Protein backbone atom coordinates (compact mmCIF):
# COMPACT_ATOMS: atom_id res chain seq x y z
CA UNK A 1 0.00 0.00 0.00
CA UNK A 2 1.36 3.38 -1.03
CA UNK A 3 0.63 6.52 0.97
CA UNK A 4 1.09 9.90 -0.67
CA UNK A 5 0.90 13.21 1.18
CA UNK A 6 -0.61 15.99 -0.91
CA UNK A 7 0.16 19.50 0.27
CA UNK A 8 -1.71 22.48 -1.14
CA UNK A 9 0.80 25.16 -0.18
CA UNK A 10 -0.20 28.04 2.12
CA UNK A 11 -3.70 28.70 3.45
CA UNK A 12 -6.90 30.45 2.40
CA UNK A 13 -5.87 33.80 3.92
CA UNK A 14 -2.09 33.75 3.55
CA UNK A 15 -1.06 37.36 2.78
CA UNK A 16 0.55 38.16 -0.55
CA UNK A 17 0.00 34.82 -2.22
CA UNK A 18 -2.29 35.97 -5.02
CA UNK A 19 -2.34 37.43 -8.54
CA UNK A 20 -1.45 41.14 -8.79
CA UNK A 21 -5.12 41.94 -9.55
CA UNK A 22 -6.25 39.92 -6.53
CA UNK A 23 -8.52 37.68 -8.62
CA UNK A 24 -6.81 34.44 -7.65
CA UNK A 25 -5.44 33.40 -4.29
CA UNK A 26 -2.70 30.82 -4.64
CA UNK A 27 -4.40 28.49 -2.16
CA UNK A 28 -7.51 28.37 -4.36
CA UNK A 29 -5.50 26.89 -7.20
CA UNK A 30 -3.32 24.67 -4.99
CA UNK A 31 -6.23 23.19 -3.05
CA UNK A 32 -8.46 22.53 -6.07
CA UNK A 33 -5.62 20.74 -7.85
CA UNK A 34 -4.66 18.79 -4.70
CA UNK A 35 -8.26 17.55 -4.38
CA UNK A 36 -8.41 16.54 -8.05
CA UNK A 37 -5.11 14.64 -7.71
CA UNK A 38 -6.29 13.01 -4.49
CA UNK A 39 -9.55 11.77 -6.04
CA UNK A 40 -7.66 10.28 -8.97
CA UNK A 41 -4.99 8.55 -6.89
CA UNK A 42 -7.59 7.10 -4.51
CA UNK A 43 -9.27 5.49 -7.54
CA UNK A 44 -5.89 3.88 -8.30
CA UNK A 45 -5.74 2.37 -4.83
CA UNK A 46 -3.33 4.92 -3.35
CA UNK A 47 -3.82 6.11 0.23
CA UNK A 48 -3.96 9.92 0.38
CA UNK A 49 -3.48 12.31 3.28
CA UNK A 50 -3.61 16.09 2.96
CA UNK A 51 -1.07 18.25 4.79
CA UNK A 52 -3.17 21.43 4.41
CA UNK A 53 -6.51 22.47 5.87
CA UNK A 54 -9.21 24.61 4.27
CA UNK A 55 -9.60 26.90 7.29
CA UNK A 56 -6.01 27.84 8.20
CA UNK A 57 -2.45 28.02 6.94
CA UNK A 58 -1.03 24.87 8.58
CA UNK A 59 2.52 25.66 9.81
CA UNK A 60 5.23 23.95 7.76
CA UNK A 61 6.54 21.96 10.76
CA UNK A 62 3.05 20.49 11.21
CA UNK A 63 2.83 19.56 7.55
CA UNK A 64 6.14 17.71 7.59
CA UNK A 65 5.39 16.12 10.99
CA UNK A 66 2.16 14.61 9.59
CA UNK A 67 4.09 13.08 6.69
CA UNK A 68 6.85 11.71 8.92
CA UNK A 69 4.43 10.30 11.49
CA UNK A 70 2.49 8.47 8.76
CA UNK A 71 5.73 7.19 7.19
CA UNK A 72 4.34 8.27 3.85
CA UNK A 73 5.99 7.05 0.66
CA UNK A 74 6.17 10.50 -0.92
CA UNK A 75 5.32 14.14 -0.26
CA UNK A 76 3.98 16.29 -3.09
CA UNK A 77 3.53 20.02 -2.54
CA UNK A 78 1.46 21.89 -5.13
CA UNK A 79 2.00 25.61 -5.77
CA UNK A 80 1.63 28.48 -8.20
CA UNK A 81 4.67 30.68 -8.68
CA UNK A 82 5.19 34.45 -8.52
CA UNK A 83 7.97 36.83 -9.55
CA UNK A 84 8.14 40.32 -8.05
CA UNK A 85 5.16 42.25 -6.78
CA UNK A 86 3.36 43.12 -10.02
CA UNK A 87 2.92 41.57 -13.45
CA UNK A 88 6.10 40.01 -14.79
CA UNK A 89 7.43 38.19 -17.84
CA UNK A 90 8.66 35.18 -15.84
CA UNK A 91 6.67 32.14 -16.89
CA UNK A 92 6.63 28.38 -17.03
CA UNK A 93 6.61 25.32 -14.83
CA UNK A 94 9.33 24.05 -12.49
CA UNK A 95 9.61 21.31 -9.88
CA UNK A 96 11.84 21.47 -6.81
CA UNK A 97 13.75 18.88 -4.83
CA UNK A 98 16.06 19.29 -1.85
CA UNK A 99 19.75 19.87 -2.75
CA UNK A 100 20.67 16.54 -1.08
CA UNK A 101 17.55 14.76 -2.33
CA UNK A 102 17.54 10.99 -2.83
CA UNK A 103 17.64 9.44 -6.30
CA UNK A 104 14.02 8.46 -5.79
CA UNK A 105 12.97 12.07 -5.16
CA UNK A 106 14.80 13.13 -8.29
CA UNK A 107 13.03 10.43 -10.32
CA UNK A 108 9.64 11.54 -8.96
CA UNK A 109 10.39 15.19 -9.75
CA UNK A 110 11.40 14.30 -13.31
CA UNK A 111 8.24 12.28 -13.93
CA UNK A 112 6.05 15.08 -12.59
CA UNK A 113 7.88 17.87 -14.40
CA UNK A 114 7.79 15.99 -17.72
CA UNK A 115 4.08 15.21 -17.32
CA UNK A 116 3.22 18.83 -16.46
CA UNK A 117 5.09 20.17 -19.48
CA UNK A 118 3.54 17.58 -21.81
CA UNK A 119 0.04 18.24 -20.53
CA UNK A 120 0.15 22.02 -20.07
CA UNK A 121 2.50 23.06 -22.91
CA UNK A 122 4.12 25.83 -20.87
CA UNK A 123 7.82 26.79 -20.74
CA UNK A 124 9.92 24.02 -19.19
CA UNK A 125 11.96 25.58 -16.37
CA UNK A 126 13.19 22.16 -15.33
CA UNK A 127 13.79 20.38 -12.04
CA UNK A 128 15.53 22.68 -9.57
CA UNK A 129 17.02 22.38 -6.09
CA UNK A 130 16.03 24.50 -3.11
CA UNK A 131 16.25 24.38 0.66
CA UNK A 132 12.49 24.51 1.28
CA UNK A 133 11.23 23.28 4.66
CA UNK A 134 8.80 20.76 3.17
CA UNK A 135 11.65 19.26 1.12
CA UNK A 136 14.24 19.39 3.91
CA UNK A 137 12.22 18.21 6.90
CA UNK A 138 10.39 15.28 5.30
CA UNK A 139 11.87 11.78 5.66
CA UNK A 140 10.61 10.53 2.28
CA UNK A 141 10.99 11.61 -1.34
CA UNK A 142 9.53 15.10 -1.49
CA UNK A 143 8.86 17.44 -4.38
CA UNK A 144 7.34 20.89 -4.80
CA UNK A 145 5.69 21.67 -8.14
CA UNK A 146 5.21 25.27 -9.30
CA UNK A 147 2.47 24.97 -11.92
CA UNK A 148 2.74 28.42 -13.51
CA UNK A 149 3.19 32.06 -12.58
CA UNK A 150 0.39 34.05 -10.93
CA UNK A 151 2.43 37.14 -11.89
CA UNK A 152 2.32 36.33 -15.63
CA UNK A 153 -0.87 37.60 -17.31
CA UNK A 154 -1.48 34.56 -19.51
CA UNK A 155 -0.64 32.07 -16.80
CA UNK A 156 -2.74 33.94 -14.22
CA UNK A 157 -5.74 33.43 -16.49
CA UNK A 158 -4.84 29.78 -17.04
CA UNK A 159 -4.40 29.12 -13.31
CA UNK A 160 -7.98 30.34 -12.76
CA UNK A 161 -9.45 28.10 -15.46
CA UNK A 162 -11.00 24.74 -14.60
CA UNK A 163 -9.49 23.23 -17.73
CA UNK A 164 -5.93 24.15 -16.73
CA UNK A 165 -6.48 23.03 -13.12
CA UNK A 166 -7.70 19.67 -14.41
CA UNK A 167 -4.78 19.38 -16.82
CA UNK A 168 -2.30 20.03 -14.00
CA UNK A 169 -4.08 17.50 -11.80
CA UNK A 170 -4.00 14.83 -14.50
CA UNK A 171 -0.31 15.45 -15.10
CA UNK A 172 0.58 15.35 -11.41
CA UNK A 173 -1.43 12.14 -11.02
CA UNK A 174 0.29 10.53 -14.02
CA UNK A 175 3.74 11.55 -12.80
CA UNK A 176 3.08 10.18 -9.31
CA UNK A 177 1.66 6.91 -10.71
CA UNK A 178 4.71 6.45 -12.96
CA UNK A 179 6.90 6.79 -9.87
CA UNK A 180 4.79 4.36 -7.82
CA UNK A 181 4.84 1.69 -10.54
CA UNK A 182 8.59 2.01 -11.06
CA UNK A 183 9.86 2.43 -7.51
ZN1 LIG B 1 3.34 28.85 -3.03
Amino acid sequence: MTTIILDAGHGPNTPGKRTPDGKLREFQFNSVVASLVGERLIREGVTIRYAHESSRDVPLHERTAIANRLRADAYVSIHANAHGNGWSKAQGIETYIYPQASKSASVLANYVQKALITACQRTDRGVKKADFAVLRDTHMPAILAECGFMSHRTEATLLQSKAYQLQCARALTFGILCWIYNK
Side-chain angles (χ1 to χ4, degrees):
M1 184 67 94
T2 303
T3 300
I4 303 289
I5 307 294
L6 294 174
D7 169 24
H10 318 290
N13 296 309
T14 307
K17 302 291 183 181
R18 59 200 68 194
T19 52
D21 60 11
K23 283 187 183 163
L24 176 73
R25 294 181 184 202
E26 186 186 338
F27 185 76
Q28 289 173 341
F29 172 82
N30 300 347
S31 58
V32 166
V33 173
S35 296
L36 291 170
V37 173
E39 290 165 12
R40 280 162 177 72
L41 288 175
I42 287 166
R43 267 185 244 144
E44 298 286 340
V46 177
T47 301
I48 295 298
R49 291 289 180 276
Y50 296 101
H52 60 281
E53 295 175 14
S54 58
S55 57
R56 68 181 180 123
D57 189 343
V58 177
L60 296 176
H61 66 87
E62 282 188 41
R63 297 183 195 233
T64 55
I66 291 164
N68 293 337
R69 191 173 63 239
L70 289 171
R71 299 177 187 279
D73 294 277
Y75 189 101
V76 177
S77 193
I78 301 167
H79 289 251
N81 223 333
H83 180 258
N85 293 316
W87 296 110
S88 153
K89 295 213 182 302
Q91 61 175 307
I93 294 172
E94 59 199 18
T95 301
Y96 284 91
I97 54 176
Y98 189 59
Q100 286 84 45
S102 63
K103 181 78 187 11
S104 186
S106 169
V107 168
L108 174 59
N110 279 296
Y111 278 136
V112 164
Q113 176 69 14
K114 190 172 279 187
L116 282 168
I117 295 303
T118 305
C120 300
Q121 296 285 303
R122 304 304 305 167
T123 302
D124 185 357
R125 300 171 66 91
V127 172
K128 298 182 174 180
K129 294 181 174 178
D131 182 19
F132 295 148
V134 295
L135 305 180
R136 182 185 61 235
D137 298 334
T138 39
H139 300 158
M140 69 286 305
I143 66 168
L144 187 151
E146 296 277 8
C147 303
F149 278 77
M150 294 184 292
S151 49
H152 185 274
R153 287 185 188 274
T154 303
E155 293 191 347
T157 303
L158 284 173
L159 290 163
Q160 291 169 74
S161 82
K162 280 279 157 222
Y164 188 81
Q165 293 167 358
L166 190 54
Q167 209 69 307
C168 288
R170 286 177 173 142
L172 284 156
T173 302
F174 181 76
I176 293 165
L177 287 173
C178 287
W179 178 80
I180 291 171
Y181 296 145
N182 290 295
K183 83 180 158 70

